[in-house]
Amino acid sequence: MIGLTMGSSCLPVAVMLCLNVVAAVMVSLVKVAMNGGMNPLVIVTLQQLTASVFLAPIAFFKERKSRPKLTLEIFAYIFVSAALGAALRQYMIFVALRYTTATFVTAFSNIAPVLTFLLAVATRSEALNLKCRTGMAKLAGTLVSLGGAMVLTLYKGVALTHAMSPHSQHHRPETVSRGKWTLGTVAILGNCVCLSCWFLLHGRLAKKYPHVYSCNALMSMLSFLQVAVVGLCTQRSITPWIITSKFQILTVLYAGIVGCGVSFVLVTWCIEKRGAVFVAAFIPVVQIIVSVIDFSILHEQLYLGSVLGSVLVIGGLYLLLWGKRQEALHCPPPPKVAEEDPEKDQQQQQPANT
């Protein structure tokens, strides 16, 4: 029994670690594909189409008997979730990759768990008691992480590594104008906001419509239609939509089937099992993997600002998570008990009245 419990409790952790490896590889593949000329809007469109084609047959055969009727409310949830979690978020992260580096994008993405916590507090799905030590720890962790994000945005610093190949000279941050680097920073910030909103929204959607394959297949199809409309309006030439090289085809297939289709199903399962904050807490792991790929394969340079900002963001994040963990263990929120008491009293009084 203990072994089974340990196994079931460790399974979400193992799944999230595998998903982080998948995300890191996808970020690196997409970065190289865009360096080769692929348009980010085209990548997102083909990615979502591939994911929907992959998931639709699985959803049909696996959930056709148990799947309930799709109501207007659930469809609205899936439509908004498709826009935030797939279409808009993926496009923003690809734009950020185009104008910055993979290491910078993954470092800045570490503020997503902090934004998730702030949105959870604002929507009252997360408690923040400043009279308790754990509440102060969560607030301090939030402020430290936001300070680290400011360092990442405003301070670049000296290069700690040197270019290793002609390929890196062509794609180093110095060759990118300050305006485009700022655009990339705004894009990754928008990605973090979309991701945080999607975590909370998808957590509610999983409770209302707990059919993982059908939900994600429909979400991928809707996001494909959303991005395709925008793409056809902005990219009227047929040339950007034609992919011929084997590497570009591999990138689209990997991003669609593994990076989107399989990953969305597993992320949905993890959110249902452990919650949005638990899933968001694994985002810093992507940075470590991407940094190794970035320096060893893509030969990008490492800057002092990225190191300092990353340390602050990750340190603040785990201070926030420590406070949340301690609060869950020692300071359970009392309001829920108070709200349930009147209902229990009425249920106890009904037999007496009858």
Side-chain angles (χ1 to χ4, degrees):
M1 289 295 291
I2 296 176
L4 291 174
T5 305
M6 288 289 290
S8 60
S9 63
C10 293
L11 186 58
V13 176
V15 169
M16 287 307 305
L17 290 175
C18 292
L19 288 177
N20 278 280
V21 175
V22 168
V25 173
M26 186 183 73
V27 165
S28 301
L29 287 176
V30 169
K31 175 66 175 176
V32 175
M34 286 190 298
N35 287 344
M38 281 197 77
N39 187 287
L41 203 57
V42 173
I43 297 178
V44 178
T45 305
L46 297 178
Q47 175 197 33
Q48 297 304 316
L49 175 61
T50 305
S52 61
V53 171
F54 171 73
L55 289 173
I58 301 176
F60 177 78
F61 289 107
K62 192 173 183 62
E63 298 176 343
R64 58 178 176 175
K65 295 182 179 180
S66 60
R67 184 172 54 244
K69 183 179 179 180
L70 187 66
T71 64
L72 182 60
E73 179 189 10
I74 294 175
F75 180 82
Y77 264 95
I78 297 177
F79 185 87
V80 177
S81 183
L84 290 176
L88 191 58
R89 183 182 73 85
Q90 292 282 12
Y91 177 68
M92 285 184 174
I93 197 170
F94 290 165
V95 168
L97 282 171
R98 189 176 193 177
Y99 295 130
T100 62
T101 66
T103 302
F104 177 84
V105 168
T106 52
F108 204 98
S109 297
N110 290 327
I111 69 168
V114 178
L115 294 178
T116 303
F117 170 73
L118 292 176
L119 288 173
V121 171
T123 56
R124 296 185 178 181
S125 58
E126 180 80 25
L128 180 62
N129 184 9
L130 296 180
K131 296 181 179 180
C132 184
R133 185 181 65 173
T134 55
M136 292 297 295
K138 292 196 292 184
L139 178 61
T142 301
L143 296 177
V144 170
S145 290
L146 293 178
M150 294 297 292
V151 172
L152 283 170
T153 306
L154 302 175
Y155 178 64
K156 187 175 181 180
V158 298
L160 302 179
T161 58
H162 299 285
M164 298 175 63
S165 71
H167 175 81
S168 63
Q169 291 286 346
H170 180 70
H171 297 291
R172 283 190 307 174
E174 289 91 346
T175 62
V176 179
S177 66
R178 186 174 183 85
K180 290 184 177 180
W181 187 273
T182 303
L183 177 61
T185 303
V186 173
I188 193 60
L189 177 61
N191 164 74
C192 292
V193 173
C194 290
L195 182 61
S196 300
C197 294
W198 182 77
F199 278 150
L200 297 175
L201 179 66
H202 215 60
R204 295 183 180 183
L205 177 60
K207 295 178 181 178
K208 291 178 176 291
Y209 196 75
H211 297 273
V212 178
Y213 298 102
S214 300
C215 178
N216 285 280
L218 183 57
M219 187 176 68
S220 297
M221 177 57 68
L222 289 174
S223 63
F224 159 68
L225 295 175
Q226 292 166 352
V227 182
V229 170
V230 178
L232 292 175
C233 293
T234 57
Q235 302 288 332
R236 297 185 179 182
S237 174
I238 195 67
T239 305
W241 297 93
I242 300 176
I243 56 174
T244 55
S245 71
K246 294 181 180 179
F247 181 80
Q248 291 179 346
I249 295 173
L250 173 65
T251 300
V252 169
L253 291 177
Y254 182 89
I257 296 175
V258 184
C260 187
V262 176
S263 294
F264 274 18
V265 170
L266 294 178
V267 165
T268 302
W269 179 80
C270 288
I271 290 175
E272 182 182 354
K273 293 294 182 182
R274 293 291 187 90
V277 177
F278 169 83
V279 172
F282 280 83
I283 289 177
V285 180
V286 181
Q287 182 185 354
I288 300 172
I289 304 171
V290 167
S291 297
V292 174
I293 298 174
D294 217 9
F295 304 144
S296 60
I297 299 176
L298 301 182
H299 306 301
E300 298 283 3
Q301 286 188 328
L302 178 65
Y303 290 86
L304 180 61
S306 297
V307 174
L308 292 177
S310 299
V311 169
L312 288 173
V313 169
I314 296 176
L317 168 63
Y318 284 104
L319 181 59
L320 164 64
L321 294 176
W322 177 84
K324 180 175 173 60
R325 174 65 176 170
Q326 294 300 313
E327 189 174 65
L329 291 174
H330 304 294
C331 305
K336 291 184 179 180
V337 179
E339 291 176 0
E340 292 175 358
D341 286 342
E343 296 180 0
K344 291 181 179 180
D345 292 341
Q346 290 178 0
Q347 291 176 357
Q348 291 176 356
Q349 289 175 2
Q350 283 179 357
N353 294 333
T354 56

